Amino acid sequence: MRKILLPLILGFGIINAQTIVTENFNSLTAGNLATDVTGTTPGQGGYYIGSGSASDYQIVTIDAAHANSLRITSGAGYSSTANTFNRFAFKGITTVATSGNNIVSGAIEFYTGPATGAGRIQVALYDSTSGIVGINYDFATKKISGMGRLTPVATGTAAFYTIGLGTATYAANTWVSVSFTYNKTTGAYSWTYPEGTYSFTNANYTLSPGLTPAEYDFISVTSTGNTVANQAAIDNFNLKFTNAATLGTQDVKHVENVGISVYPNPTSDLLNIKSEYKINAISVTDFTGRIFKVKLNGNTVDVKSLPAGTYLVNVETKEGYFTEKFIKK
């Protein structure tokens, strides 16, 4: 996958991303992450652990390229009530976003482990109420899924949902790089995984803007029918507050060779989208993150009504998510 390079300058200056967490575990010592499984006393690096035993949370070297990583081992079972087979390692977030940084962006590597049981390894951000955004790897299906707080229109009751991402499966004992974003202004979610990037849209659910993360959790969750101690690891977790401009420069990714081209560029009225695959959704945004409604007519988008400037056209197909910069004259 390649990155799209975009300018950072907005208005009269540069708006920089704010680092919240940079964790590769290399400053920690091999062995127990912490000793108090009640989540009361912090262990190495200020991390708390909950449930199980201290030996379920280990700083280990899985391979030389990653050096230290955090390996979490679940319990060998499942309960639909108080699931004491789950494992949690967590830490508080104290950084407050400065003006202009309205997007929470996180990236992490999962080590899938043996992947023989039922459950998943995940990273998620929480406030005092519930989960906000996250991403996980499922041991049974061997697929990547996103997580986000959504409210069904039919019930009006918000919950933390799992959202399937793509069809690819990922082998046991493999490192997989994934990331997620949450826009505090709009409530929009996106998740990037080896197949591409998915931005959530579903008319049956409303988004949850205005949420502020207070904690991040690394969790091993067991599922119905699990009978083994699921083991997986995480490494290179990076979390930051950012904005549309810096996000575009550093994090917006798409699948190579998805067979999509955008032309002419610059354009004064029409933008042609040529794709080898069926287009599922299309949108246009400016560098502040503002969304402009556009309609795809065949393979053409009418952009005559847009003010002159530089924009991003976002195209979603079954093969992935494609983003390209274009100039409206």
Side-chain angles (χ1 to χ4, degrees):
M1 292 189 286
R2 66 183 175 89
K3 299 182 180 180
I4 299 170
L5 301 180
L6 304 176
L8 293 179
I9 299 176
L10 291 179
F12 298 100
I14 296 176
I15 301 178
N16 295 314
Q18 295 171 252
T19 298
I20 306 172
V21 178
T22 299
E23 181 61 87
N24 61 14
F25 303 102
N26 290 338
S27 64
L28 307 187
T29 303
N32 293 344
L33 176 66
T35 56
D36 180 4
V37 296
T38 68
T40 302
T41 305
Q44 293 195 69
Y47 284 95
Y48 296 82
I49 59 175
S51 188
S53 64
S55 61
D56 294 328
Y57 309 84
Q58 291 292 301
I59 301 298
V60 298
T61 298
I62 292 173
D63 55 47
H66 288 80
N68 281 357
S69 304
L70 172 60
R71 186 179 66 203
I72 302 178
T73 304
S74 76
Y78 170 76
S79 171
S80 60
T81 54
N83 194 353
T84 57
F85 302 101
N86 294 345
R87 301 291 181 262
F88 307 84
F90 57 95
K91 193 172 180 178
I93 296 171
T94 57
T95 303
V96 177
T98 58
S99 177
N101 284 333
N102 64 322
I103 298 173
V104 181
S105 173
I108 195 167
E109 290 185 78
F110 290 133
Y111 184 73
T112 60
T116 57
R120 59 189 184 271
I121 185 73
Q122 66 188 44
V123 57
L125 306 185
Y126 289 81
D127 62 10
S128 59
T129 302
S130 175
I132 298 174
V133 63
I135 195 164
N136 66 63
Y137 168 79
D138 190 287
F139 303 125
T141 66
K142 297 176 175 55
K143 293 182 178 181
I144 300 293
S145 294
M147 295 178 289
R149 192 186 304 183
L150 304 168
T151 302
V153 173
T155 65
T157 302
F160 197 37
Y161 285 87
T162 296
I163 299 103
L165 302 176
T167 59
T169 57
Y170 302 92
N173 300 314
T174 301
W175 285 102
V176 183
S177 297
V178 296
S179 62
F180 57 83
T181 67
Y182 165 69
N183 189 315
K184 291 184 62 179
T185 302
T186 65
Y189 297 106
S190 73
W191 301 271
T192 298
Y193 51 109
E195 285 183 279
T197 299
Y198 175 70
S199 298
F200 181 82
T201 55
N202 189 317
N204 295 317
Y205 297 85
T206 59
L207 301 175
S208 304
L211 305 178
T212 300
E215 175 183 302
Y216 65 92
D217 289 39
F218 304 131
I219 310 172
S220 181
V221 180
T222 66
S223 299
T224 304
N226 183 64
T227 59
V228 304
N230 300 306
Q231 192 175 88
I234 55 179
D235 201 1
N236 295 324
F237 178 53
N238 293 283
L239 186 65
K240 62 190 174 186
F241 285 118
T242 185
N243 52 75
T246 53
L247 182 67
T249 301
Q250 300 171 8
D251 299 304
V252 176
K253 301 179 180 179
H254 66 92
V255 179
E256 284 283 13
N257 302 319
V258 293
I260 295 178
S261 58
V262 176
Y263 63 95
N265 190 6
T267 184
S268 58
D269 48 16
L270 300 177
L271 196 63
N272 297 309
I273 313 293
K274 183 178 180 180
S275 173
E276 296 177 7
Y277 310 103
K278 179 183 176 182
I279 296 175
N280 297 327
I282 190 165
S283 64
V284 170
T285 60
D286 64 14
F287 284 177
T288 70
R290 183 172 49 170
I291 300 174
F292 296 83
K293 291 184 178 180
V294 295
K295 184 177 181 180
L296 184 68
N297 184 11
N299 68 337
T300 302
V301 178
D302 188 340
V303 295
K304 288 193 294 288
S305 63
L306 296 181
T310 304
Y311 297 86
L312 300 176
V313 59
N314 312 294
V315 183
E316 182 187 343
T317 77
K318 68 182 181 66
E319 296 298 318
Y321 185 86
F322 177 89
T323 301
E324 186 63 85
K325 181 176 70 172
F326 74 94
I327 297 173
K328 165 64 191 312
K329 295 190 293 186

